[in-house]
Each structure stands twice: as structure tokens, then as C-alpha cells.
């Protein structure tokens, strides 16, 4: 595997060409980590991680654009002409306790590579001349499709590496080498903040195959997922097909996986992971939607609407069946061409009966008994007239 070709491959990417142009007069700028890994595998990188041996100011100036600096970690984000670059000073890391955020200090490129998670991410290419630095096993492991941690305390220092290990294995089709698998099995996955674990879960849900990732994660460490979590729920594929481009595929996936998690436990877990109240409630409702059976059993278009109305789209998709498909594709878009103001203008007094009349007209519209505005208005007024007798 020819690591020296990375600069040539990078130059074919617009963002990469701009970074090379900015770094060509500097001999201390290195492309590192996942960007190098992906370029060597023939995949366009999702992001470009660049480190500088020494102060990053010259590179920031050469790139131009707007930069945001994070002094604690010696990093900066540059946005220029629609492109985003993540820049960091080479650093070493130490951990005050397992799972803590690292304390950082300036270092050489070799020390920077030694702090990384897996050998396949411990490769650096200098942009000025294409020279390579790497862990002794990095290129062989990359060629062999192996995931190997750099030292025995890797999962102790940062338990979120369990999630990254599963993510790389699922995305790249790599195998976890035996010693790393043993270290993963012995790790304490919860020895880290809920915010960081929640971030890893959200990243997992955006992967091409979250269920494959969850299966690998469960195999790596039995305690990494909440009790009752099903990595491969049977209802998921059909639900995602029903959902299409509507709603949230990640939340639908999570809800399907959590259908067997006890409700109070699921609520506490999602709160610990710092899900927003809206996303948490969507998962809670969709994972055990009690009106799913009425929706499946509904015999008319208006009955389908009555069962599905007010429920998250994700819950309807997980309920499944042709009634769910009809609601998602058509019925939820059906509305009235009249409002309460039209009834009041026709002499109806304000009050709760106005809403009842509108709902009655909507049911008749859903059932295709009526269609245009005048029919809806007459139907609503007739309903109110009968109700007053």
C-alpha cells in the first residue's frame, strides 16, 4: 500500500487541493488519521484532519477565511469559500481518570500518532513532500483489514473508542484483531459522560448500516447497550421503506431497537445521553405506540386518520401495514378548505361545536363523500343543525 501517493490523491479533491496550496511552503503540516486511511483505501474522506508541528497561525493565515479557535486543545476550525478545515497542533494527551477529557500538551508528530485510537488511524503524510510517518503496524493492518488499538489502556482512557471500533468495523468491513477484542470485552463502557456517549450513538445512527454497527458493538462489549436493546429489529426495514424521505430514519431505527427496553429505563437512558425532549419523546412513543393495533384494524379512511393523527410519523411507520402506508403517503395531507371563521360568518356561535363540525366535515372528506369547499361548508352546517335539535 503506497502511502506516498496520498498527496496526489488529495490534490484531486477541491478541498484537498486548497489545503496543499496553503501548506506547500510549510514543512510542518501533516494530513492525519481518517483522511489518510480513506485515501489509501480509495475512498473520498468525509473530512480533512490536519496537524501542525508547532503554532498553527501560519497555516490559518494561508488558508484565509473565518477561523474559530479552541485553545484548550490547540485546535481551530476554518471556513473558507464553503469549505471547512479542522486544524490542530500536534499534541500528546494524558487522562486525569478513565473516561475524562484529555489534558493536552504540544508534541512531535510521532507522539501525536501514538495518542490515536487504532493503528489504521495512526498514519501521517507531510503535505510539503509526501513523506510518511506511521505506527509500525499501521500500513499492514490497513492492508489486512484489521482494527488494532495502539496500547492496552486505550479503552480505559476513552471508552467511546468501543463505539468507534464498531463504527469502523461496520463501515469498512474490517475485523477486530483478537487482543483488541479481548480488551474491548473487559472495558467499562459507561465510564464516560452521557453527553459523549449520546454523541457516539447519534453518529452510529447516521452510518449506512446502524444495525450492523450495533451488532458488532454488542459482540465487542455486552454492557455497551442498554438492557433490552435489539441490534437487529425485524420490523425496521419495512418501517424505513414506509417512512421514505419523511420523518427521521435515525429516530425510527433507535425506536425499533428499543421496543424491548423497559419504559422507565429507556427514559432514563435517553435523558442520560442528553437527547432533546422532542427526540426522546418521539423514541418513547414510537418504540411502543399503543394505537398501532387500532391503525392496522381501521376499516375506513377516516378511521385510519383518527388512529394515526397526532402520532409521530416514525410511530406510524413502525406500526406498519397498508393503513400506515396510506396515512403517510396520502391521508395525512388531506385538509379542509374551510375554517371556523367560515362557520362563524355563516351565523354559528363560537364554541366547541365548531371544532366538532370541522372534524365531521374532515371525516367525510377523507372518506371521499365530499370534496369541494361548498360541500364541506354545507356538511359542517348540517352537522351543527342536527346536533342542535
Amino acid at each position: 500500500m503506497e502511502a506516498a501517493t496520498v498527496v496526489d490523491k488529495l490534490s484531486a479533491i477541491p478541498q484537498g487541493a486548497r489545503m496543499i496550496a496553503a501548506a506547500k511552503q510549510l514543512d510542518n503540516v501533516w494530513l492525519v488519521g481518517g483522511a489518510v486511511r480513506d485515501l489509501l483505501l480509495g475512498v473520498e474522506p468525509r473530512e480533512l484532519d490536519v496537524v501542525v508541528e508547532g503554532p498553527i497561525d501560519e497555516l490559518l493565515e494561508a488558508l484565509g477565511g473565518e477561523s474559530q479557535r479552541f485553545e484548550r486543545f490547540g485546535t481551530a476550525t476554518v471556513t473558507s469559500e464553503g469549505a471547512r478545515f479542522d486544524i490542530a497542533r500536534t499534541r500528546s494527551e494524558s487522562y486525569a481518570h478513565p473516561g475524562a477529557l484529555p489534558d493536552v500538551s504540544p508534541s512531535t508528530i510521532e507522539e501525536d500518532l501514538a495518542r490515536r485510537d487504532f493503528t489504521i488511524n495512526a498514519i501521517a503524510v507531510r503535505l510539503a513532500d509526501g513523506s510518511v510517518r506511521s505506527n509500525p503496524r499501521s500500513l499492514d493492518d490497513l492492508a489486512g483489514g484489521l482494527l488494532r488499538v495502539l496500547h492496552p489502556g486505550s479503552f480505559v482512557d476513552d471508552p467511546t473508542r468501543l463505539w468507534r471500533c464498531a463504527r469502523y468495523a461496520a463501515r469498512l468491513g474490517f475485523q477486530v484483531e483478537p487482543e483488541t477484542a479481548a480488551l474491548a470485552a473487559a472495558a467499562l463502557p459507561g465510564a464516560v459522560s452521557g453527553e459523549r456517549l449520546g454523541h457516539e450513538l447519534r453518529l452510529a445512527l447516521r452510518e449506512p448500516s446502524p444495525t450492523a454497527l450495533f451488532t458488532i458493538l454488542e459482540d465487542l462489549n455486552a454492557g455497551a447497550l442498554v438492557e433490552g436493546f435489539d441490534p437487529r429489529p425485524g420490523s425496521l426495514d419495512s418501517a424505513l421503506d414506509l417512512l421514505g424521505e419523511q420523518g427521521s430514519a435515525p429516530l425510527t431505527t433507535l425506536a425499533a431497537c428499543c421496543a424491548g427496553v423497559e419504559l422507565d429505563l429507556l427514559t432514563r437512558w435517553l435523558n442520560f445521553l442528553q437527547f432533546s425532549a422532542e427526540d426522546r419523546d418521539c423514541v418513547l412513543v414510537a418504540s411502543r405506540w399503543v394505537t398501532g393495533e387500532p391503525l392496522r384494524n381501521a376499516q375506513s379512511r377516516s378511521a385510519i386518520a383518527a388512529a394515526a393523527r397526532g402520532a409521530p410519523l416514525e410511530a406510524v411507520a413502525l406500526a406498519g401495514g397498508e393503513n400506515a402506508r396510506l396515512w403517510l403517503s396520502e391521508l395525512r395531507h388531506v385538509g379542509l378548505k374551510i375554517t371556523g371563521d367560515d362557520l362563524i360568518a355563516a351565523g354559528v356561535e363560537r364554541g366547541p361545536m365548531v371544532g366538532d363540525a370541522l372534524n365531521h366535515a374532515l371525516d367525510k372528506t377523507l372518506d371521499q363523500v365530499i370534496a369541494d369547499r361548498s360541500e364541506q361548508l354545507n356538511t359542517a352546517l348540517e352537522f351543527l343543525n342536527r346536533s342542535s335539535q
Side-chain angles (χ1 to χ4, degrees), residues 324-346:
R325 185 181 299 278
L326 185 59
W327 169 254
L328 290 167
S329 64
E330 179 185 344
L331 298 185
R332 76 184 189 93
H333 302 293
V334 174
L336 291 174
K337 299 173 183 178
I338 61 171
T339 67
D341 291 339
D342 295 308
L343 297 181
I344 293 167

Side-chain angles (χ1 to χ4, degrees), residues 335-362 365 372-381 384:
L336 291 174
K337 299 173 183 178
I338 61 171
T339 67
D341 291 339
D342 295 308
L343 297 181
I344 293 167
V348 176
E349 293 185 5
R350 295 181 184 274
M353 290 299 292
V354 170
D356 293 341
L358 292 174
N359 288 334
H360 176 74
L362 179 58
T365 303
D372 62 30
R373 186 179 186 282
S374 62
E375 289 176 323
Q376 291 175 351
L377 182 59
N378 289 334
T379 298
L381 292 173
L384 288 168

Side-chain angles (χ1 to χ4, degrees), residues 137-198:
R137 286 175 158 167
S138 293
L139 296 177
D140 287 342
D141 284 348
L142 190 61
L146 288 177
L147 288 165
R148 185 194 310 272
V149 291
L150 292 172
H151 60 87
S154 183
F155 294 120
V156 175
D157 287 344
D158 186 356
T160 65
R161 287 171 177 164
L162 288 168
W163 288 81
R164 272 176 269 162
C165 188
R167 191 161 76 238
Y168 296 142
R171 185 195 304 168
L172 303 174
F174 280 24
Q175 298 297 312
V176 182
E177 66 88 25
E179 186 176 349
T180 296
L183 293 170
L188 298 175
V192 68
S193 72
E195 180 181 12
R196 294 179 64 197
L197 288 176

Side-chain angles (χ1 to χ4, degrees), residues 8 34 65 70 79 103 125 128 146 150 177 194 208 226 244 283 304 306 308 325 335-336 347 357 359 382:
D8 291 337
F70 307 92
T79 304
D103 296 314
V125 176
L146 288 177
L150 292 172
E177 66 88 25
V226 69
V283 172
I304 292 170
R325 185 181 299 278
L336 291 174
N359 288 334
E382 289 170 4

Side-chain angles (χ1 to χ4, degrees), residues 220-241:
L220 282 174
N221 188 291
L225 295 166
V226 69
E227 183 179 355
F229 191 99
D230 181 1
R232 288 188 175 276
S235 61
L236 180 58
D237 287 345
S238 59
L240 291 176
D241 177 65

